[in-house]
Amino acid sequence: MMAGKEIPLSHTADKPHVHHHHHEDAQSFVRAVEHASEERGLRLTPLRKEVLELVAAAGKPVKAYDLLDQLRERHGNAAPPTVYRALDFLLEHGFIHKLESINAFVSCHHPAEAHQVPFLICDNCSSAQEVCDERVAELIEAQARAFGFRPQAQTLEVHGLCKNCRKS
């Protein structure tokens, strides 16, 4: 790849295959997670729900210690293991995603569906966009199988500048 040159993620795609339902605001997202938790018989404790609300309300990737600081402002005695246990639960059940390259968390656009998605991460403003195109994950799975590899998880994070930062 040449510096400054844009590369397409898919050479054959006119439009991405989009999941059918996005949750644009934090409250509807939290309600969707509550509903999914009920359907799956999961226990969304008050602390887990509060951490989920903080991640959703952030509107961009948020680090665990930033969540801890916010919880301490509200409760005074929150400890790192408590936050990490809540994050682990939310990750395990697909309600949030962890962006490994920046060690931060974002809410999942589709909390009722198990899926692997790539992210576009802006290196300037730290925004992250979930790429809702099932073909990307399917292509990676197919390539892995072709090599005799059995994938257990996918993490694809593309760094660059978002549209807003490119205009600036």
Side-chain angles (χ1 to χ4, degrees), residues 16-112:
H17 290 223
V18 177
H19 291 274
H20 51 79
H21 195 220
H22 278 259
H23 296 280
E24 298 298 333
D25 67 89
Q27 290 178 342
S28 70
F29 169 71
V30 171
R31 283 192 302 273
V33 170
E34 288 174 320
H35 180 72
S37 294
E38 282 179 32
E39 284 186 341
R40 297 184 207 169
L42 302 174
R43 189 162 172 259
L44 189 63
T45 63
L47 179 66
R48 290 171 178 169
K49 182 179 176 183
E50 189 170 4
V51 169
L52 180 72
E53 289 169 340
L54 291 172
V55 171
K60 65 179 190 176
V62 62
K63 297 184 179 286
Y65 274 87
D66 294 333
L67 294 170
L68 180 61
D69 289 343
Q70 291 177 55
L71 287 172
R72 283 182 175 154
E73 286 175 16
R74 296 177 180 193
H75 304 289
N77 61 350
T82 307
V83 173
Y84 280 108
R85 279 194 299 270
L87 289 169
D88 286 344
F89 171 87
L90 298 170
L91 279 168
E92 177 184 348
H93 297 289
F95 301 139
I96 62 173
H97 297 288
K98 182 175 183 182
L99 303 177
E100 298 289 342
S101 64
I102 59 173
N103 197 26
F105 302 88
V106 293
S107 54
C108 175
H109 283 267
H110 313 284

Side-chain angles (χ1 to χ4, degrees), residues 2 5 23 30 35 56-57 68 90 112 116 125 131 144 157 163:
M2 294 169 53
K5 192 156 189 172
H23 296 280
V30 171
H35 180 72
L68 180 61
L90 298 170
Q116 300 289 329
C125 72
V131 178
E157 300 172 10
K163 183 164 77 172

